[in-house]
Amino acid sequence: MDAELVQRSETINERLQQLGDSLDHATKRAEIVTIEAKMAEAGFWDDNDAAQIVIGQLKGLKSIVGPLDELSSAVEDLGALFEMADEDESIAVEVSEEVTRLESILDNLELKALLNGPNDNAGAILQINARDGGTDANDWADMMLRMYSAWAVGQDYKIELLDRQDNEEAGINHASIAIRGPMAYGYLKGEEGIHRLVRISPFNSEGKRQTSFAAVSVSPEIDDSIDIQIEKKDVREDTYRASGAGGQHVNKTDSAIRLTHVPTNTVVQCQNQRSQHQNRDTAWKMLRAKMARLEEEKREAETALKYGTQARTGFGSQIRNYFLHPDQRVKDARTGHYVGNFNSVLDGSELQGFFDAFLRLRAGKQVKE
């Protein structure tokens, strides 16, 4: 058997052992058994919200334990495949393909091992705001909203629209969505910052090139079991009339809610629920998420300074550039990750590569082009 393949196989075994230890595989498997037993108890579904939290925890655990178990089994089978190849050289090609496949699975699992922050397994509340660029910026913010939604659908995540304000001419002024699924926040938190689009403006009759900007902020969706201290006296509540589609859909009451945490000047708002009460509950949930993110940013400050990954918000400080003119490409300003197909990023299919590159950067690892 080829010596290089043998060496790669040995390396796979070593990496698998290290990965199992870093992911605490045995503990996670025991947690799955405990949760499944809890779900089988009578009355589990009496509190649907609490049940959904438990189901989310189970999905997160299985997203790691399942692939790790399958990989362990495949590595064991690899030994038998090597023995067969010693007797039949025609199997050597199959062995090479299997080794390459296992290396790829390991790469993906090692990336998941980097999602080890206290809130990384939580859902994400993602907010997009149009910035400089006029109507093009509003359109760009709407394009980004569709991009993240498409990525979430591709990951089989759930999406809930929390707030959206359409621009009168085109696109949106801002929008907030919740994306729920295993490691959603861990993947998306690296998207925080300014995103820059360069294209021939569809809103310019002279066909001039336009640069527009949209700002993304990401917070972990915190459930009630996590204690986030917010003094109600520090929060100002404003009500306003939710925007609608016109006609019978125009909201005739001040059902939309805006909360401002005065000490930090943190603002959240919600208008997409059916009542003022529901909007208020959702807005408080969004505020708790924002405050959790502020606490996390304090802990991450040293790491962000070390690796130069602190999200900036001024002109010229974009984290990623998207080009439709003069050529089509998308390049991350922090990691250097590059995709030469603009549309494949905007439809979500090649967005994951940017997340993975940022994870490697935050871990101090070399970014793979």
Side-chain angles (χ1 to χ4, degrees), residues 288-332:
R288 292 180 74 246
K290 284 278 191 180
M291 300 309 293
R293 177 57 183 157
L294 288 176
E295 289 298 316
E296 188 173 354
E297 285 176 347
K298 293 178 184 177
R299 295 191 297 267
E300 291 178 342
E302 184 176 341
T303 303
L305 180 64
K306 182 177 180 181
Y307 295 116
T309 57
Q310 185 68 42
R312 298 166 294 170
T313 57
F315 185 90
S317 61
Q318 58 274 359
I319 65 167
R320 191 173 304 142
N321 295 295
Y322 305 72
F323 295 93
L324 269 172
H325 183 83
D327 57 344
Q328 293 193 19
R329 66 188 190 279
V330 181
K331 186 172 183 179
D332 197 285

Side-chain angles (χ1 to χ4, degrees), residues 103-165:
E103 288 172 334
S104 177
I105 295 173
L106 261 172
D107 287 342
N108 291 331
L109 284 172
E110 285 172 344
L111 278 173
K112 283 190 175 182
L114 300 178
L115 296 170
N116 55 8
N119 299 312
D120 281 358
N121 193 44
I125 294 179
L126 186 144
Q127 183 175 355
I128 302 171
N129 289 279
R131 288 293 182 86
D132 299 333
T135 304
D136 276 277
N138 299 115
D139 188 49
W140 172 223
D142 196 18
M143 291 167 65
M144 292 192 67
L145 178 62
R146 294 195 299 270
M147 176 182 73
Y148 290 118
S149 297
W151 171 80
V153 169
Q155 298 293 316
D156 199 26
Y157 288 172
K158 292 183 178 179
I159 307 169
E160 180 184 355
L161 180 64
L162 303 177
D163 184 63
R164 175 184 175 120
Q165 184 181 74

Side-chain angles (χ1 to χ4, degrees), residues 111 335 337 352-362 365 367-368:
L111 278 173
T335 66
H337 185 74
Q352 184 68 43
F354 291 97
F355 301 164
D356 295 346
F358 185 75
L359 283 174
R360 294 189 186 97
L361 178 67
R362 291 300 298 269
K365 296 180 180 293
V367 176
K368 296 181 180 179

Side-chain angles (χ1 to χ4, degrees), residues 235-309:
V235 179
R236 184 179 72 246
E237 177 180 308
D238 299 303
T239 59
Y240 60 99
R241 188 162 299 180
S243 60
Q248 63 180 342
H249 301 290
V250 171
N251 200 314
K252 296 180 175 59
T253 62
D254 292 341
S255 62
I257 297 291
R258 180 185 297 108
L259 300 178
T260 303
H261 185 253
V262 177
T264 60
N265 197 32
T266 301
V267 181
V268 298
Q269 55 195 38
C270 182
Q271 64 171 336
N272 276 67
Q273 303 299 326
R274 292 179 178 273
S275 68
Q276 186 184 89
H277 175 73
Q278 289 174 315
N279 280 326
R280 180 178 292 107
D281 286 347
T282 301
W284 271 99
K285 186 175 185 179
M286 294 167 70
L287 183 60
R288 292 180 74 246
K290 284 278 191 180
M291 300 309 293
R293 177 57 183 157
L294 288 176
E295 289 298 316
E296 188 173 354
E297 285 176 347
K298 293 178 184 177
R299 295 191 297 267
E300 291 178 342
E302 184 176 341
T303 303
L305 180 64
K306 182 177 180 181
Y307 295 116
T309 57

Side-chain angles (χ1 to χ4, degrees), residues 175-188:
S176 298
I177 57 174
I179 297 179
R180 303 184 178 106
M183 309 297 180
Y185 175 67
Y187 283 126
L188 287 165

Side-chain angles (χ1 to χ4, degrees), residues 51 64 97 156 189 195 198 202 220 225 242 257 261 283 337 340 359 366:
I64 295 174
E97 291 175 348
D156 199 26
K189 66 180 181 181
H195 296 246
V198 179
S225 65
I257 297 291
H261 185 253
H337 185 74
L359 283 174
Q366 182 178 1

